[in-house]
Amino acid sequence: MNPVYCSKGHENPPGSRFCLHCGEKLGNPVTQGIQAGLTLSERYVIVRQLGQGGFGRTYLAEDLNRFREFCVLKEFSPQVQTTYVVQKAEELFEREASVLYKLEHPQIPRFRELFRSKLNDKEYLFLVQDYVQGETYSALLQTRKQQGFLFTEIEARQLLQQILPVLEYIHSLGVIHRDISPDNLILRSTPQEPIGLPILIDFGGVKQVAAAVASQYYQPGVGTPSPPPTLLGKIGYAPPEQMRTGLVEAHSDLYALAATVLVLMTGKQPQELIDPHTLSWRWRQEISLSSNLAAVLDKMLSPAPSDRYKSASQVLAALTLAQQPLPKPTAATVAVAPPVASSPTPQPQRKEGGVPVKTLIVALVLTMTAGLVAWGVTKFFKSPSDSDPSPDTTQESTPTSSAKPTQQTKDPLAKFSPEERQRKQTLNDRRQKLAIDNDFYVKLVNQVFREKNRGLGERSLSDGSEDEGLRVRWDQTGKDLLDKLALLSLSARRQLGSYTADKRDRWKDQVNKIHVGSRSLYDLGDAAFFTQFPEQQGKNFIDQPIGQVWYGFVYDKLNDILAGKAFRRIVFDPGAIGKTVSGTLYGGDGKVFIAGLAKDQLMDLKLQASSKVLLSVYSPSGKIRFLENSTRRSLSVTLPEEGFYEFVVVSTTSQPVDYQLSLQAVYQNASPTPTSTTTTTPEPSAKPTVTPSDEPKENLSP
């Protein structure tokens, strides 16, 4: 007999009525779906089933392309199996996955790729993400209840301070989790980073897509009434308006987080803490909390959305201010405070070891930084080697007391109008939130601004009213650049200003290990970069600040290739002489395909796509470029080498474009029969090597 599993994936002996790990009743145990040991997409080996929900199962798998590293596969299979429905489901899932893939935070599992697989004549979609080993907070609560105790107020406050920066991060990118609960928070048990911090899993956006497919593309007439629309979120955890209408905002996640904290402290489900007649929370009958935390939770759980906190940073500020007494207004603090009446926004940053940054001292330092940035902005076009005078020496000397220049030094924003101060403060807040180094940011804006305003020459802008219009344009240039830099991953943004040729060489080695040449990597990076910066085409920019942005896009494409999102190996089916692959490319996207082919085979390649899709074809050694960023749609050639040939398709438009790539390979003196296909995809004797020609294009060469 097979083992049985609870909804959390715990394995139990056959015939068990209760889970031996968490105590869950197994009256309706999770049934096994895909058999362990089966390999999907020639890459993922199923280990066991982890759980089962309303839209499919979740599996633990090993990634053969990552030295059998564990990962999680989330399954979805449309109930109606028509070509249109399956394709539409894949499009919707890919759109959602592309959003989730951009999330890069140590407390969020990384989304890797989306792929389709056919099992038993049924189409399945699988979303792949990192595996987090540990216990859910739901399981931790069950263990504590069995031991006779619950989560304390100190632990609850700590959980809030640890997870709120994560919510601030995802909300800043326009992502709402939709389904926060103890089941979707995991305390990692492995010794890797982040140690001792909760991990946020199971974003509800994927379920929302599954629900849309189930309702919108359900086809009546098969004897079953059309299913009602599915509203996501757990009853009691999700706010009432989310359960009624499905509409969500940032405060929806804050409501669910507050409900989660109360469940952990009381040991009771939300339905037990809500009055069934008035629908108001009555948790105070169960526990006694400090007045501050009680007030914060009440505001997070307000029945009217307008009465709740609007952002995670507001909740963090409320918790932080209550923990520490406000400093007395000394001369130092008055001098540091900016003239704009705005409290600094806590950022989702971490100290070494994973401790969130949230003290008032740090907030004051950030405020000082904002002022220094605003001053540095007006001194653009100066060489980094120039010795700038201190801020107060740039002002006319006055016969007043020494206190005035001291205040100007610490408050350089004071010389600007309130509108300009607010504009510069907003820009600096955005830059900090994106984790972009300030020195690099100023150099980048200077470069782009100078290229747009060449008539200014090398002169600096003044702080006076005569250059106010130019300062507006400088700030607008900075805003436009931040919008484009936001497309990069968090890790890529953090490295801006520090990319080197040595790092690029290491990237070459990484892609070579999976039989991809660096030219293919650069093709993907070029497409993404030039889609955002078309004016840089043909320029030699690699050693300029904008060259660092190119590095950032290439770095992200490197990770896309290594994760399998932008990389696929073409393997012919048994008895076949060719293979067709297809998909959709979004703004500036690209994909690398490789196929192991033999010398002297006749290769026939056809691409069906709009003229906005470019095609490149490279030999295994990289010495021969059959096509490079070409609009040609076919290629027939006798192959000069044995090894992995590379086929790169990239989009040069911001609109989604479909493509279909068909590849055939046979020996010229062989008939296209199954007997001739045994040698169509031989393994190469050695991996492709990087040659001197396998460098960035001429205009990018250092």
Side-chain angles (χ1 to χ4, degrees), residues 53-279:
F55 300 108
R57 301 178 177 89
T58 303
Y59 299 93
L60 178 66
E62 292 179 335
D63 188 345
L64 297 179
N65 285 10
R66 289 194 170 190
F67 306 100
R68 290 190 172 270
E69 179 182 75
F70 282 137
C71 60
V72 172
L73 305 186
K74 291 183 177 294
E75 161 203 292
F76 171 71
S77 178
Q79 293 183 359
V80 179
Q81 290 280 312
T82 66
T83 301
Y84 173 77
V85 172
V86 173
Q87 288 181 348
K88 196 65 180 178
E90 186 172 16
E91 291 175 9
L92 293 174
F93 267 92
E94 188 165 340
R95 188 181 309 163
E96 180 65 26
S98 66
V99 175
L100 297 178
Y101 186 80
K102 294 179 181 178
L103 298 180
E104 186 169 338
H105 192 284
Q107 290 172 254
I108 299 174
R110 180 73 188 222
F111 286 80
R112 298 186 182 180
E113 72 161 326
L114 179 73
F115 70 91
R116 185 198 293 191
S117 185
K118 192 169 186 177
L119 300 171
N120 300 323
D121 296 325
K122 192 173 183 180
E123 294 282 355
Y124 289 84
L125 296 173
F126 291 92
L127 189 69
V128 186
Q129 67 182 95
D130 287 346
Y131 171 64
V132 180
Q133 183 175 339
E135 290 288 324
T136 66
Y137 274 74
S138 179
L140 293 173
L141 177 61
Q142 292 300 322
T143 300
R144 292 198 178 196
K145 289 173 67 175
Q146 293 171 6
Q147 297 172 350
F149 61 96
L150 303 168
F151 281 76
T152 65
E153 177 176 342
I154 294 177
E155 291 175 314
R157 186 184 291 271
Q158 182 183 44
L159 175 61
L160 286 170
Q161 292 171 331
Q162 290 172 338
I163 209 67
L164 282 167
V166 185
L167 297 183
E168 178 72 5
Y169 167 71
I170 67 172
H171 293 164
S172 71
L173 299 178
V175 177
I176 309 297
H177 186 280
R178 303 168 184 259
D179 197 16
I180 294 176
S181 72
D183 287 331
N184 291 334
L185 290 171
I186 290 182
L187 186 63
R188 191 193 296 273
S189 62
T190 50
Q192 63 193 100
E193 288 281 357
I195 301 173
L197 293 182
I199 311 298
L200 186 61
I201 66 170
D202 209 9
F203 280 68
V206 176
K207 299 177 184 176
Q208 184 69 44
V209 172
V213 173
S215 58
Q216 184 177 356
Y217 300 106
Y218 182 88
Q219 296 182 357
V222 295
T224 307
S226 177
T230 302
L231 299 178
L232 298 181
K234 294 182 177 65
I235 296 178
Y237 291 98
E241 73 277 2
Q242 179 178 339
M243 299 307 297
R244 288 196 307 266
T245 66
L247 298 178
V248 293
E249 293 186 36
H251 58 69
S252 307
D253 283 346
L254 301 179
Y255 184 103
L257 179 59
T260 296
V261 166
L262 287 176
V263 168
L264 295 176
M265 288 191 293
T266 63
K268 295 188 175 182
Q269 292 301 308
Q271 295 88 331
E272 302 175 83
L273 301 173
I274 298 177
D275 189 306
H277 303 292
T278 63
L279 300 181

Side-chain angles (χ1 to χ4, degrees), residues 6-8 10-12 16-27 135 138-139 141-143 146:
C6 71
S7 62
K8 302 173 185 63
H10 298 142
E11 182 176 330
N12 296 274
S16 299
R17 298 181 59 191
F18 295 91
C19 178
L20 300 179
H21 303 270
C22 64
E24 178 182 322
K25 187 176 180 181
L26 299 176
E135 290 288 324
S138 179
L141 177 61
Q142 292 300 322
T143 300
Q146 293 171 6

Side-chain angles (χ1 to χ4, degrees), residues 90 172 205 210 367 375 576 694:
E90 186 172 16
S172 71
T367 303
W375 177 81
D694 198 6

Side-chain angles (χ1 to χ4, degrees), residues 496-540:
L496 289 171
S498 65
Y499 290 111
T500 62
D502 289 340
K503 285 188 177 182
R504 191 178 69 203
D505 290 340
R506 290 196 292 271
W507 297 347
K508 294 179 185 179
D509 293 337
Q510 288 179 273
V511 292
N512 287 170
K513 290 178 181 179
I514 58 173
H515 310 293
V516 173
S518 57
R519 183 59 263 169
S520 296
L521 169 63
Y522 299 148
D523 282 346
L524 267 59
D526 287 351
F529 175 77
F530 289 126
T531 297
Q532 299 302 320
F533 299 94
E535 71 280 1
Q536 297 297 330
Q537 288 272 14
K539 295 181 180 179
N540 185 10

Side-chain angles (χ1 to χ4, degrees), residues 327-335:
K328 294 181 179 180
T330 63
T333 56
V334 170

Side-chain angles (χ1 to χ4, degrees), residues 508 512 517-519 619-625 641 688-696:
K508 294 179 185 179
N512 287 170
S518 57
R519 183 59 263 169
S619 68
S621 66
K623 296 179 180 179
I624 302 176
R625 305 179 184 185
E641 305 174 17
T689 58
V690 180
T691 66
S693 63
D694 198 6
E695 290 289 330

